[in-house]
Amino acid sequence: MIKYLRDYLLLKKLLQRAEIVNEKMREQIANVALQYQLPICKGVVVEGLSSAFVFGFFKPVLVLPSQENVDDKIILHELLHVRYKDSLQNVLWSILKCFH
């Protein structure tokens, strides 16, 4: 449990220093969210990532790799994780794994 908490806090600290997405990417995220009636969340860009992910469940953040073009399908996939609260589910599974 301590390892999960430590990793979470380290990632949270890293993401607090991440660069907020530019206006073009913000519009792209909003357009995908509106098109599929999904929640819009804050987006950040992190150097060196190989793929996108969602971090957090109370105030989710869409974390994107620093490459120029991010496909709408990737954004859609990650926003679906936000809609179905998969981050919260991952926390619950992690807690169960610790008890096991």
Side-chain angles (χ1 to χ4, degrees):
M1 182 81 91
I2 293 170
K3 179 193 177 306
Y4 284 123
L5 184 58
R6 180 187 62 103
D7 291 346
Y8 174 84
L9 293 174
L10 288 173
L11 184 56
K12 183 176 181 177
K13 187 176 181 180
L14 173 74
L15 295 179
Q16 287 174 341
R17 294 178 286 163
E19 181 182 331
I20 295 176
V21 295
N22 59 32
E23 186 63 34
K24 181 181 174 187
M25 183 60 67
R26 195 173 312 134
E27 287 177 14
Q28 184 180 1
I29 293 168
N31 288 338
V32 171
L34 290 174
Q35 182 179 357
Y36 295 97
Q37 300 174 348
L38 297 170
I40 299 173
C41 62
K42 176 184 169 184
V44 297
V45 176
V46 176
E47 278 292 323
L49 283 182
S50 59
S51 64
F53 63 93
V54 174
F55 177 80
F57 43 89
F58 292 119
K59 290 185 178 181
V61 176
L62 176 57
V63 183
L64 299 168
S66 60
Q67 67 189 32
E68 284 293 317
N69 298 323
V70 176
D71 193 281
D72 285 354
K73 293 175 191 172
I74 294 171
I75 296 170
L76 172 61
H77 176 92
E78 297 306 327
L79 291 179
L80 285 168
H81 285 302
V82 174
R83 173 188 232 169
Y84 294 113
K85 303 193 183 350
D86 289 341
S87 295
L88 181 58
Q89 184 181 18
N90 287 340
V91 169
L92 294 174
W93 285 118
S94 296
I95 291 170
L96 289 174
K97 286 194 307 191
C98 288
F99 285 126
H100 177 71

